Amino acid sequence: MTRPPLPPFTEDTARAKVQAAEDAWNSRDPERVALAYTEDSEWRNRDRFLRGREEIRSFLAEKWARELDYRLRKELWSYTGNRISVRFEYEWHDAAGQWWRSHGNEQWEFAEDGLMRRREASINDVPIEESERRI
């Protein structure tokens, strides 16, 4: 299985990869999103360390059960060879109705088949009023 665009990335293919990731994550479908990662993909997400597509799938299902009405925007920061860096921002609310804006940066490393084999994410959350939503 391949997941174009494939490395090495150009500016256009890196932007396409970022847009594809944004579209997939906004689907809030753990099955769909998990297919973009290698079977043994390694993740750091905040303070959690995950390994493998099944752990990623479970993590995403838990995430979107907690982070309601999740909407995300990603922006290409830089790229080289088989790596892409992005900045992102997403908004969501918890079960109590509190809205949050989460800001972060990700570093991605891809295998030759275009699947992501490593993801490092640093994320900070800020409480916001519903009226402050931008996404």
Side-chain angles (χ1 to χ4, degrees):
M1 177 171 94
T2 62
R3 179 70 65 143
L6 306 176
F9 297 109
T10 65
E11 182 175 351
D12 287 342
T13 61
R15 286 189 190 286
K17 199 68 148 175
V18 171
Q19 186 62 58
E22 178 182 304
D23 293 344
W25 279 67
N26 277 326
S27 77
R28 296 183 299 245
D29 179 349
E31 301 295 327
R32 175 182 172 189
V33 174
L35 290 175
Y37 301 93
T38 62
E39 287 288 340
D40 61 348
S41 187
E42 295 180 23
W43 273 32
R44 181 185 59 79
N45 193 89
R46 301 174 191 258
D47 61 346
R48 300 229 1 227
F49 294 83
L50 308 171
R51 183 171 180 94
R53 196 179 283 163
E54 191 53 44
E55 282 187 25
I56 292 166
R57 187 180 293 113
S58 294
F59 169 83
L60 293 171
E62 292 169 16
K63 171 185 178 62
W64 290 318
R66 269 188 334 273
E67 297 180 0
L68 307 173
D69 294 322
Y70 172 99
R71 292 299 297 162
L72 165 75
R73 295 291 177 259
K74 290 186 182 282
E75 177 185 350
L76 177 65
W77 193 260
S78 66
Y79 66 93
T80 184
N82 69 335
R83 294 182 176 169
I84 296 175
S85 292
V86 299
R87 66 165 298 282
F88 63 87
E89 187 173 277
Y90 62 91
E91 294 174 347
W92 55 281
H93 67 86
D94 59 27
Q98 173 63 57
W99 280 92
W100 300 87
R101 183 174 299 123
S102 301
H103 302 268
N105 300 293
E106 293 175 312
Q107 288 75 47
W108 301 339
E109 183 179 83
F110 293 88
E112 293 171 359
D113 60 7
L115 295 174
M116 194 181 301
R117 68 176 163 215
R118 187 170 177 186
R119 175 182 174 263
E120 299 277 336
S122 297
I123 308 167
N124 298 344
D125 302 314
V126 177
I128 61 171
E129 298 295 322
E130 185 173 8
S131 63
E132 297 176 285
R133 292 179 60 208
R134 297 191 294 229
I135 301 175

